[in-house]
Amino acid sequence: MTQKDITFVADFLTEHFNEAPELYNRKGKYFNVERVGQYLKDEDDDLVSPPNTEGNQWFNFLKSSTHLKESPLLFPYYPEKSLHFVKRQMEGVIDQCLQKPADVIGKSVHQAVCMSLYKTSQSEDSTSQLFKLPFLWNDKTSNIHYVLFTILENSISKIYILRRHTDTSRSVSNGILAVEFGNFLNNSINESSDSRCYSCLDAHFYDDETITVVLKESVEQEGKERVLAQLPLS
């Protein structure tokens, strides 16, 4: 260790570990703990060295404001407690705030329609991976919800479009349909149907009338083609 290191440690001990007779009757150490570490202890005990809030502009502002002083919108301040204590208090308040909306929303949700998309054997473990890339879009002009998705096992060259009216009592034509890309990019009819087959990597609504898709060539080979295409919803 260099003399500079020793001096640094000595200064630290001198500043933070002086004997504090006023703490002798308290549980724990007889000296002031390091002031940063005390905030990180997961304990409900009061801080050994609470911060000095004298001259703090925010506290002075609150004290001088009759409206804000008792406002329920301000989270209470605990100057004697650690951050862990404050964190638990805040989590409790947030959970309480979210509970009522969760109950109300949960009771208002009901099933509007049920349609079977695919069937799998009960022993299959990959069921959760079959449904891929659902993307939601709300057309506010026509009041229709859209969902874009693919089903991996059925056909990787298809993208499904599900649409429902925001008013669940009304129905729309072609509630669900599939768009198959296949080999539509072949240069000529002489190319085999398997030589240039494309599957969908991703799909999003570009606007109310247009869907943007990213396609890739399905053939396992170097330099697979990627195609960015925009399809009119009509």
Side-chain angles (χ1 to χ4, degrees):
M1 296 177 65
T2 65
Q3 186 62 40
K4 185 178 181 180
D5 296 330
I6 297 174
T7 303
F8 176 78
V9 173
D11 291 342
F12 178 85
L13 294 175
T14 302
E15 180 181 354
H16 295 293
F17 292 89
N18 288 332
E19 288 192 2
E22 68 275 10
L23 302 178
Y24 283 174
N25 295 327
R26 292 191 51 172
K27 179 182 176 182
K29 307 295 185 186
Y30 294 153
F31 46 78
N32 290 331
V33 298
E34 195 271 313
R35 296 183 180 179
V36 174
Q38 65 176 344
Y39 290 101
L40 306 179
K41 291 183 177 180
D42 194 3
E43 300 173 353
D44 289 340
D45 295 338
D46 291 348
L47 298 176
V48 178
S49 299
N52 181 14
T53 59
E54 185 178 352
N56 185 295
Q57 294 181 351
W58 172 248
F59 293 115
N60 292 340
F61 171 68
L62 290 182
K63 290 177 182 177
S64 62
S65 172
T66 55
H67 299 289
L68 288 178
K69 188 187 298 184
E70 304 298 331
S71 173
L73 300 178
L74 290 178
F75 193 79
Y77 176 60
Y78 303 95
E80 305 288 334
K81 298 297 184 180
S82 72
L83 292 178
H84 279 281
F85 177 86
V86 177
K87 175 176 176 285
R88 285 196 299 272
Q89 294 290 318
M90 182 173 289
E91 286 175 341
V93 172
I94 293 174
D95 289 342
Q96 187 178 3
C97 291
L98 296 179
Q99 188 59 47
K100 185 68 175 179
D103 292 342
V104 173
I105 294 173
K107 292 176 182 177
S108 66
V109 172
H110 64 277
Q111 178 178 300
V113 65
C114 178
M115 56 181 68
S116 177
L117 297 178
Y118 55 80
K119 293 181 180 180
T120 59
S121 61
Q122 293 182 350
S123 60
E124 195 160 2
D125 296 329
S126 60
T127 305
S128 59
Q129 299 174 0
L130 291 177
F131 193 76
K132 188 185 175 188
L133 94 231
F135 177 76
L136 310 179
W137 180 265
N138 181 21
D139 184 349
K140 294 182 175 61
T141 305
S142 56
N143 295 325
I144 293 180
H145 284 308
Y146 288 92
V147 184
L148 298 178
F149 62 93
T150 57
I151 300 177
L152 301 182
E153 194 175 78
N154 259 10
S155 176
I156 58 175
S157 64
K158 289 181 182 178
I159 182 171
Y160 294 85
I161 305 175
L162 170 67
R163 61 179 184 173
R164 295 287 302 172
H165 204 284
T166 54
D167 180 357
T168 55
S169 63
R170 301 177 60 183
S171 61
V172 293
S173 59
N174 294 328
I176 184 170
L177 55 85
V179 178
E180 183 166 13
F181 302 105
N183 58 351
F184 76 106
L185 292 178
N186 286 357
N187 293 326
S188 71
I189 58 174
N190 295 326
E191 292 189 53
S192 65
S193 60
D194 297 329
S195 63
R196 298 287 294 278
C197 188
Y198 289 85
S199 60
C200 184
L201 280 177
D202 200 2
H204 281 208
F205 267 82
Y206 180 77
D207 55 29
D208 289 342
E209 305 295 333
T210 311
I211 298 174
T212 301
V213 295
V214 179
L215 306 174
K216 75 168 182 176
E217 199 171 358
S218 300
V219 181
E220 294 291 339
Q221 64 182 19
E222 287 292 328
K224 289 182 181 179
E225 284 193 14
R226 298 291 192 273
V227 178
L228 180 68
Q230 288 198 301
L231 307 177
L233 193 60
S234 58

